[in-house]
Amino acid sequence: MVFVFNPGTRIGPQALKNRMTTVLKGTRQIWSGDYQAGYGSSEERDGYWDFTDAIPVLFTTLDRLQASGPYAAVWWRCGHRQWETLPDALDNPTDHRAWQAREKVRRARHDEELAQQLELERERERAEEKERWATKPPELDAPKAAPCERCGRPITGGPYRQDDAEFAPPEDGRHCPTCRSDIGSAYPTLRQALFGNRQRGR
């Protein structure tokens, strides 16, 4: 909706301004939008104006149109605060797009702060781990002894008979002292009698 005022020679600047103000107030429900609270990533209060059902109301004067033409900044839209070109006057700079742009900046700032916090936390954990390694050597598990091939008990350090531990044949890496004593006191087999007590390879 466009209002073109013709001040002529009988209307002064103040009278023209008063007429524009009267039209502006009388058409407020037509051109004003509805304020919507934006819900985004930030707790700060922010929102936008919804102009879906609004009708733009523009003012201009005949002398401005005659002097500069309709493509110049000769349009005053109700709700805006300056003379604008027609595309700018018909635009809604405070609508949902502006809120989305602000929300995008807020999200980027929030993500950056979160990344900085995570990096600080990782640096703190690395420093604590480094300090732990510097003050206390790591505890290594002692290697487990292989079990006896004959009875399954440990080859060394097991609960053996005292005589077995003292008088058993030398360690062969395969049998415990008790089994070595038993094997040493057993009658030789035909193979052992012919070829001796050579150990078989694993």
Side-chain angles (χ1 to χ4, degrees):
M1 185 180 297
V2 176
F3 290 87
V4 180
F5 293 90
N6 182 14
T9 56
R10 296 178 297 172
I11 302 177
Q14 187 60 44
L16 179 61
K17 184 178 179 181
N18 292 340
R19 289 188 179 182
M20 289 183 175
T21 302
T22 300
V23 175
L24 184 145
K25 291 181 178 179
T27 59
R28 182 176 296 276
Q29 294 217 341
I30 296 175
W31 56 261
S32 61
D34 296 322
Y35 185 77
Q36 305 290 331
Y39 298 97
S41 61
S42 176
E43 294 182 358
E44 64 183 85
R45 193 171 181 178
D46 191 15
Y48 61 93
W49 288 92
D50 182 8
F51 294 97
T52 303
D53 297 326
I55 299 175
V57 176
L58 280 65
F59 295 160
T60 190
T61 59
L62 191 58
D63 56 343
R64 285 177 179 272
L65 287 173
Q66 290 173 341
S68 304
Y71 300 107
V74 297
W75 304 98
W76 185 285
R77 177 173 172 175
C78 295
H80 292 196
R81 299 182 179 274
Q82 58 189 359
W83 294 99
E84 300 171 304
T85 62
L86 188 58
D88 291 338
L90 294 175
D91 192 21
N92 298 308
T94 59
D95 64 0
H96 192 260
R97 295 169 301 163
W99 178 84
Q100 284 181 321
R102 294 192 299 272
E103 178 64 12
K104 184 176 180 181
V105 172
R106 284 192 292 262
R107 285 185 182 275
R109 185 171 62 241
H110 178 266
D111 292 344
E112 183 178 354
E113 291 174 356
L114 183 61
Q116 291 175 353
Q117 291 177 0
L118 291 175
E119 182 60 29
L120 290 175
E121 183 67 20
R122 283 194 291 266
E123 288 181 2
R124 184 184 64 79
E125 291 176 356
R126 285 194 292 265
E128 290 178 355
E129 187 71 15
K130 186 177 180 181
E131 184 179 356
R132 214 168 26 245
W133 278 86
T135 57
K136 182 180 179 182
E139 296 181 1
L140 301 177
D141 295 334
K144 294 181 179 179
C148 176
E149 292 181 0
R150 189 164 177 258
C151 67
R153 291 183 296 181
I155 294 177
T156 58
Y160 311 117
R161 296 191 301 262
Q162 185 175 0
D163 292 345
D164 291 340
E166 291 179 3
F167 302 108
E171 294 185 9
D172 58 3
R174 299 172 62 188
H175 301 97
C176 66
T178 301
C179 290
R180 291 200 306 272
S181 296
D182 293 345
I183 293 171
S185 61
Y187 291 106
T189 63
L190 178 61
R191 182 182 179 282
Q192 290 173 338
L194 294 175
F195 301 104
N197 287 331
R198 289 182 297 176
Q199 293 182 356
R200 287 186 250 177
R202 295 188 179 185

